[in-house]
Amino acid sequence: MKANTEEKKWNLQQNRRDSKLQAAKDKGLAKRVPSDRTIELLETVLTPEDKVCIEGNNQKQADFLSECLSQCNNDVLNNLHILQSVLALPSHIDIFEKGIASKVDFSFSGPQALRLAKLVQQQKIQIGSIHTYLELYGRYFIDLIPNVCLITAHSADADGNLYTGPNTEDTPAIVEATAFKSGIVIAQVNELVDSVPRVDIPADWVDFFIVAPRPNYIEPLFTRDPAQITEVQILMAMMVIKGIYAPYQIKRLNHGIGFNTAAIELLLPTYGAELNLKGKICTNWALNPHPTMIPAIESGFVDSIHSFGSEVGMDEYIQNRPDVFFTGKDGSMRSNRAFSQTAGLYACDLFIGSTLQIDLQGNSSTATVDRIAGFGGAPNMGSDPHGRRHSSYAYLKAGQEAADGRVVKGRKLVVQMVETYREHMDSVFVEELDAWQLQEKMGSDFPPIMIYGDDVTHIVTEEGIANLLLCRTPEEREQAIRGVAGYTPVGMQRDHEKVKELRQRGIIQRPEDIGVDASKATRDLLAAKSVKDLVKWSNGTYAPPSRFRNW
């Protein structure tokens, strides 16, 4: 066998990293970088076409670093490939409009959905894929390995040990993928301290840190004012509790964001208790610390909550409820989006959330022609995990319903809870999702469908519940969806005789079919009717953001 005369080099990535660090050192940039030299640092250690992971979470934002990146010279930095779970801030889109970045792989873009859609229509941005969170984190360790990551933490000590506080969120996944594959880790922190309360990210994983001019932005994303909950949402919540949670004995679950699910949370101490369901449903959660969960916690419904992130104003309440939340010795909560997503995927029996569009097969999406909101964790939470091997009452019952009792595997319950019309009288139920048009605009191999119809088990509207598990043909499934689609064009085209038959078989259930008295669906049923009521339930330990205070 002929020997290879040219020796292969195995440390090219390390050499590239070392040269970047040396260039920073040559400019007098030490580990702690003055905030007014941040742009200089970025232009030194980033190079065109680098994969750059910006910590843009659901809530916590590396906002100072993102703004500095958007102010870099595009002659120096261009064609960056951005890896980011959430496009939340204007600066996240500015870098594409200014030519600093050209490609993005992301999960969610709620606040920037309109701007992102416009860039796609103008073909000024290349979207690799719209991922679910776990999928994106997984690719950080496979083929989307960051060359540089820009993260944020609450505090750092002089060595660069980082304390992330309750909003740890994506930080561990981002740093691990970068630091252990010859990448460069740059952190902005709120404060420099003598000693951090706990070491969440060790100093030797961090290359540079900057004390930012202001604390990092945290969006109170999961705060819902009970005063905004409508009687229609209360009626739907009653149907969910009595028609789904009770018969399936749902104990382990995740709630999506919204007033619909907030209504469920606020009905547990009242309607749930009236139905004698304490200890029988909603005991173990993968969930952010929603303030609307406070009455259910105080009423003894909740045993545990593991969180993706935290929520503004909930720190003291969480510290006083360590039996419920995952907290450290310092008393603060430790969140972790990757772990909580895994719990939601494999350890929960039910996901319930909302969407912008549902088609006749039950496919749903929050990506429309004029608004690309992305998916976040919904495809993880809202999917039937074929890797699951443990049983539960709910998992077994759903599996039996789906297979006429001949069960080989169970089924996770995936519920879409929607009012038939959304804002501007746009119908949620459509013959065809906008996703098909978007696929063409994005040049994607797949349409951006959030939750596939074959994973959806129930659809709940103000008209009733459609149990898709019990449908045996595509035609039955279509008529079940039409049967709860209300006075939308889709609903008006239902086959009335078929819908009547489906109702007799229990596939469609109206409120009266499950003993829900619609006349009782009033705001009097809410355990808390205002944010001020939530503060009272917390014994004054919940400190809501100022924009939610009206007293």
Side-chain angles (χ1 to χ4, degrees), residues 25 31 61 73 202 276 309 363 409-410 492 522:
K25 186 177 181 180
K31 186 166 189 174
Q61 306 294 333
N73 184 340
N276 193 31
N363 299 307
K409 68 178 290 292
M492 296 291 282
T522 69

Side-chain angles (χ1 to χ4, degrees), residues 2-136:
K2 187 177 180 180
N4 187 354
T5 57
E6 186 174 327
E7 185 178 351
K8 181 175 176 60
K9 296 181 179 179
W10 295 100
N11 60 349
L12 296 177
Q13 294 173 6
Q14 290 179 350
N15 289 343
R16 185 169 183 256
R17 164 189 154 82
D18 290 344
S19 66
K20 288 182 174 186
L21 295 179
Q22 185 61 49
K25 186 177 181 180
D26 291 345
K27 292 182 178 181
L29 294 167
K31 186 166 189 174
R32 181 185 173 188
V33 178
S35 61
D36 60 2
R37 298 190 69 185
T38 303
I39 294 173
E40 181 184 1
L41 172 68
L42 296 177
E43 291 182 349
T44 302
V45 301
L46 271 69
T47 55
E49 300 185 5
D50 270 352
K51 291 184 178 71
V52 181
C53 188
I54 303 174
E55 186 162 20
N57 302 322
N58 255 346
Q59 299 169 285
K60 182 180 66 170
Q61 306 294 333
D63 52 350
F64 175 68
L65 289 176
S66 178
E67 288 170 13
C68 288
L69 182 61
S70 72
Q71 295 169 31
C72 287
N73 184 340
N74 64 7
D75 289 330
V76 176
L77 289 183
N78 50 70
N79 289 311
L80 297 179
H81 182 175
I82 301 300
L83 318 175
Q84 189 166 341
S85 59
V86 179
L87 302 170
L89 303 176
S91 59
H92 296 159
I93 303 298
D94 292 345
I95 58 175
F96 295 97
E97 292 181 342
K98 294 180 178 180
I100 296 167
S102 58
K103 184 175 182 180
V104 66
D105 279 275
F106 74 107
S107 296
F108 183 65
S109 66
Q112 301 301 321
L114 297 177
R115 285 183 72 191
L116 180 62
K118 186 176 180 180
L119 286 176
V120 169
Q121 295 293 334
Q122 296 171 345
Q123 298 186 325
K124 290 184 176 180
I125 187 172
Q126 181 184 357
I127 295 178
S129 292
I130 305 175
H131 303 71
T132 186
Y133 288 130
L134 274 181
E135 178 184 18
L136 185 60

Side-chain angles (χ1 to χ4, degrees), residues 60-371:
K60 182 180 66 170
Q61 306 294 333
D63 52 350
F64 175 68
L65 289 176
S66 178
E67 288 170 13
C68 288
L69 182 61
S70 72
Q71 295 169 31
C72 287
N73 184 340
N74 64 7
D75 289 330
V76 176
L77 289 183
N78 50 70
N79 289 311
L80 297 179
H81 182 175
I82 301 300
L83 318 175
Q84 189 166 341
S85 59
V86 179
L87 302 170
L89 303 176
S91 59
H92 296 159
I93 303 298
D94 292 345
I95 58 175
F96 295 97
E97 292 181 342
K98 294 180 178 180
I100 296 167
S102 58
K103 184 175 182 180
V104 66
D105 279 275
F106 74 107
S107 296
F108 183 65
S109 66
Q112 301 301 321
L114 297 177
R115 285 183 72 191
L116 180 62
K118 186 176 180 180
L119 286 176
V120 169
Q121 295 293 334
Q122 296 171 345
Q123 298 186 325
K124 290 184 176 180
I125 187 172
Q126 181 184 357
I127 295 178
S129 292
I130 305 175
H131 303 71
T132 186
Y133 288 130
L134 274 181
E135 178 184 18
L136 185 60
Y137 304 154
R139 291 190 70 190
Y140 291 169
F141 295 90
I142 300 295
D143 62 334
L144 292 180
I145 304 168
N147 300 115
V148 178
C149 71
L150 310 179
I151 65 165
T152 183
H154 183 77
S155 56
D157 62 18
D159 294 326
N161 292 301
L162 304 183
Y163 167 62
T164 55
N167 281 86
T168 301
E169 299 194 67
D170 298 7
T171 312
I174 295 171
V175 173
E176 186 118 346
T178 308
F180 291 90
K181 202 63 172 66
S182 303
I184 292 176
V185 177
I186 303 173
Q188 69 171 76
V189 300
N190 297 342
E191 59 182 6
L192 183 66
V193 296
D194 293 332
S195 177
V196 292
R198 66 172 190 248
V199 176
D200 290 320
I201 303 295
D204 60 354
W205 297 8
V206 179
D207 296 294
F208 302 98
F209 71 92
I210 298 123
V211 180
R214 61 184 183 281
N216 61 347
Y217 179 71
I218 299 177
E219 170 69 20
L221 187 64
F222 297 91
T223 299
R224 291 293 179 270
D225 186 347
Q228 304 299 316
I229 295 174
T230 67
E231 293 185 347
V232 168
Q233 291 161 344
I234 293 168
L235 173 63
M236 293 166 62
M238 293 170 70
M239 286 192 281
V240 168
I241 290 172
K242 191 163 187 183
I244 299 177
Y245 288 9
Y248 289 95
Q249 298 178 24
I250 299 298
K251 289 188 172 183
R252 310 178 309 178
L253 70 161
N254 166 260
H255 275 186
I257 312 170
F259 288 102
N260 290 337
T261 47
I264 298 173
E265 293 156 14
L266 290 171
L267 290 188
L268 290 176
T270 56
Y271 189 61
E274 180 186 316
L275 297 175
N276 193 31
L277 294 175
K278 184 190 293 187
K280 299 175 183 177
I281 65 168
C282 301
T283 55
N284 304 93
W285 299 71
L287 192 75
N288 272 56
H290 296 188
T292 45
M293 284 294 294
I294 293 173
I297 294 169
E298 296 302 302
S299 300
F301 267 82
V302 179
D303 291 339
S304 70
I305 297 176
H306 186 267
S307 298
F308 309 85
S310 191
E311 186 64 7
V312 178
M314 287 288 285
D315 293 354
E316 185 179 354
Y317 179 76
I318 291 167
Q319 187 170 357
N320 284 293
R321 298 293 181 269
D323 283 352
V324 173
F325 297 97
F326 286 69
T327 58
K329 293 179 181 178
D330 64 316
S332 73
M333 189 180 75
R334 164 76 172 194
S335 62
N336 187 302
R337 192 169 303 281
F339 286 165
S340 219
Q341 287 286 328
T342 304
L345 175 62
Y346 280 108
C348 288
D349 292 320
L350 175 141
F351 163 79
I352 184 166
S354 194
T355 187
L356 296 179
Q357 289 186 335
I358 300 175
D359 69 14
L360 295 176
Q361 289 76 50
N363 299 307
S364 67
S365 187
T366 53
T368 62
V369 169
D370 59 353
R371 181 178 172 186

Side-chain angles (χ1 to χ4, degrees), residues 482-496:
R482 290 189 188 274
V484 294
Y487 291 99
T488 63
V490 165
M492 296 291 282
Q493 294 180 46
R494 68 186 63 175
D495 181 331
H496 290 278

